[in-house]
Amino acid sequence: MKNKLIIAALALSLSGCATISDWFADDDELEIRRLKPIEAQFQPTIKWDAQVGDGVYDYFSRLTPAVGYGKVFVASRDGDVVALDPETGKPVWEQDFANYDNYSLKKALLWYSNRAVSAKISGGLVVAYQSVYFGTEDGYVYSLDESTGELNWKVGVQGEVIAAPAVDAGIVLVNTTSGHLIALDPKTGDEKWITETDVPPLSLRGVSAPAADSGGALIGTPAGKLQVSIIETGLVAWETQIASPSGATELERIVDIDVKPLVFAGNVYVISYNGALSAVELRTGQVVWTREYSSYRNVTLDGNRLFVVDKDSHVYAIDRRSGVELWANVALKSRNITAATPHGDYIVVGDEYGFVHWFSQDEGKLVARLEVGEDDEDEGIFTGPVSDDGVLYVQTRDGKIAAVTQP
């Protein structure tokens, strides 16, 4: 019996397509996990990687690296915030915002309690005005000095901050789970104005990250509306219904817009869950075109192509001017892939098993693949890669940040 087990283990290790986690998967899951071979056009490589805290575990999170001021800024849910050198991955500075009030070495050694109370950082990182801004599930917004990591200010707001703030025109915009859009002073954190939208009894875990453009503050709402407020005062300029609830159950009636509105050439592009992808005139709120797609991931754009990843992990390229579908790729169905990041002539997505995939922009063909998270959900990629100066920055659930390059 012992020899048979050894032979079986060797067979699995030599097959190149099975992992230990495969042993506990049923047939349907194995069909999803086992990637089909591709004709790779190039081989991406990891330039460097670094560990930032313990990552986000299996919590819902949209923590994404931010690049600016010659640094890569990364955070973990517990409270670690780190600035890394983009060339080497070495820390420039590190700060820890976990609460250590009840911490003791004795308790930690005896596993009697956690090392600290998590800061629950979840609202993404944004760099502007020589500062780093982010929010938490406990309803706090932080501002740090980008050069040292020292705290500029910390303020409490109404509701959880689980989407990245937006910074523009001397205002930090924060959209919370309680339906409040809040404008803060970027230097002091003082509240400038606040507006409120209705939140349905049942909605997705997530909110629309705000966008700021042309004097407007833009958000999608849980009721399926696109709303634009005047950024100086908070007064609502207009709102347009993108998707209307329909169906017999509350689940079927979910029409949340949980994506950041994408503004380009006078139009706003948004997509809703169980609803539609729409192009809307920024000035008037008039709908230009609408197509039936459903997603909670950000829409991205390069040139005249919109890139959409729907709730089934199908990838689409769509003409932004007409809404005509240019191509579709379903090769990564059910792998819970991220939003698509334009990167040179390609778009790039990560998946929940820790792989990064490259598609050609013009045809939608899978042309390259890289394993970053070792085929394990605990090391899956949960937010879209960040593209900057020819480098992709990829963050995994267990806190690994990797700088990825391609020939």
Side-chain angles (χ1 to χ4, degrees):
M1 177 62 71
K2 181 178 180 181
N3 289 337
K4 289 181 179 179
L5 289 174
I6 293 172
I7 291 170
L10 286 172
L12 283 171
S13 65
L14 292 172
S15 68
C17 62
T19 65
I20 292 175
S21 53
D22 285 347
W23 301 354
F24 306 100
D26 58 28
D27 290 342
D28 290 339
E29 185 178 354
L30 285 175
E31 182 65 23
I32 296 168
R33 291 183 69 100
R34 291 178 177 172
L35 291 164
K36 293 179 173 59
I38 62 171
E39 295 180 10
Q41 296 183 4
F42 56 86
Q43 181 56 56
T45 57
I46 296 177
K47 181 179 179 180
W48 53 257
D49 60 50
Q51 187 68 31
V52 177
D54 295 322
V56 299
Y57 307 100
D58 57 355
Y59 289 96
F60 171 86
S61 180
R62 287 178 171 167
L63 270 181
T64 308
V67 184
Y69 302 109
K71 305 177 192 69
V72 181
F73 301 93
V74 193
S76 72
R77 186 177 188 273
D78 281 347
D80 296 289
V81 183
V82 182
L84 302 173
D85 185 306
E87 290 301 316
T88 65
K90 301 298 183 184
V92 178
W93 53 256
E94 301 178 57
Q95 297 287 354
D96 187 355
F97 294 96
N99 183 351
Y100 287 87
D101 288 348
N102 297 317
Y103 171 80
S104 75
L105 181 59
K106 180 179 179 180
K107 288 181 179 179
L109 290 173
L110 294 173
W111 296 91
Y112 183 73
S113 67
N114 292 329
R115 67 178 182 88
V117 176
S118 170
K120 301 178 186 176
I121 300 175
S122 182
L125 301 177
V126 174
V127 290
Y129 301 142
Q130 289 75 49
S131 300
V132 182
Y133 302 95
F134 59 88
T136 76
E137 295 172 25
D138 287 332
Y140 291 104
V141 181
Y142 289 74
S143 170
L144 313 183
D145 184 287
E146 63 83 14
S147 61
T148 65
E150 294 298 318
L151 182 66
N152 294 326
W153 49 259
K154 170 187 174 184
V155 298
V157 295
Q158 298 181 52
E160 298 174 280
V161 184
I162 59 175
V167 185
D168 188 65
I171 283 178
V172 178
L173 292 169
V174 179
N175 191 25
T176 72
T177 56
S178 61
H180 294 91
L181 178 64
I182 304 160
L184 304 174
D185 186 292
K187 294 183 178 179
T188 64
D190 293 339
E191 184 181 298
K192 290 194 169 187
W193 52 258
I194 182 170
T195 63
E196 186 174 2
T197 57
D198 293 332
V199 178
L202 184 64
S203 63
L204 297 178
R205 174 63 171 165
V207 296
S208 166
D213 195 280
S214 304
L218 300 86
I219 57 168
T221 76
K225 297 179 181 180
L226 174 63
Q227 184 183 92
V228 178
S229 302
I230 299 171
I231 200 168
E232 291 183 353
T233 62
L235 294 175
V236 176
W238 56 260
E239 62 179 19
T240 296
Q241 193 78 44
I242 301 300
S244 298
S246 62
T249 68
E250 289 295 331
L251 283 174
E252 293 173 331
R253 295 174 63 82
I254 293 176
V255 290
D256 294 44
I257 298 177
D258 275 0
V259 302
K260 181 177 182 177
L262 173 64
V263 184
F264 184 79
N267 285 339
V268 187
Y269 302 93
V270 291
I271 193 167
S272 67
Y273 189 83
N274 284 339
L277 168 69
S278 296
V280 182
E281 285 187 353
L282 176 60
R283 185 174 59 86
T284 64
Q286 183 72 32
V287 176
V288 180
W289 54 256
T290 295
R291 302 290 182 266
E292 290 188 7
Y293 295 93
S294 176
S295 183
Y296 50 87
R297 300 173 179 89
N298 285 340
V299 178
T300 56
L301 177 143
D302 196 0
N304 288 321
R305 297 188 187 100
L306 296 171
F307 300 104
V308 171
V309 175
D310 74 6
K311 60 185 180 182
D312 296 316
S313 290
H314 300 163
V315 185
Y316 302 91
I318 297 156
D319 190 299
R320 70 166 184 86
R321 299 160 296 188
S322 63
V324 172
E325 186 177 299
L326 303 174
W327 55 256
N329 192 306
V330 300
L332 302 178
K333 180 181 178 180
S334 300
R335 290 183 68 89
N336 196 22
I337 63 175
T338 67
T341 299
H343 185 67
D345 295 329
Y346 310 98
I347 57 169
V348 187
V349 302
D351 70 30
E352 69 175 334
Y353 303 107
F355 287 86
V356 183
H357 309 266
W358 280 253
F359 297 82
S360 62
Q361 285 199 22
D362 54 353
E363 296 179 331
K365 183 180 179 181
L366 262 172
V367 296
R369 179 182 295 151
L370 179 67
E371 186 177 354
V372 174
E374 299 185 6
D375 198 14
D376 190 335
E377 291 95 326
D378 292 339
E379 302 170 42
I381 300 164
F382 59 100
T383 55
V386 174
S387 175
D388 184 79
D389 197 24
V391 179
L392 284 168
Y393 298 98
V394 180
Q395 188 170 6
T396 65
R397 284 197 166 274
D398 66 343
K400 179 179 181 180
I401 173 76
V404 177
T405 59
Q406 63 193 55

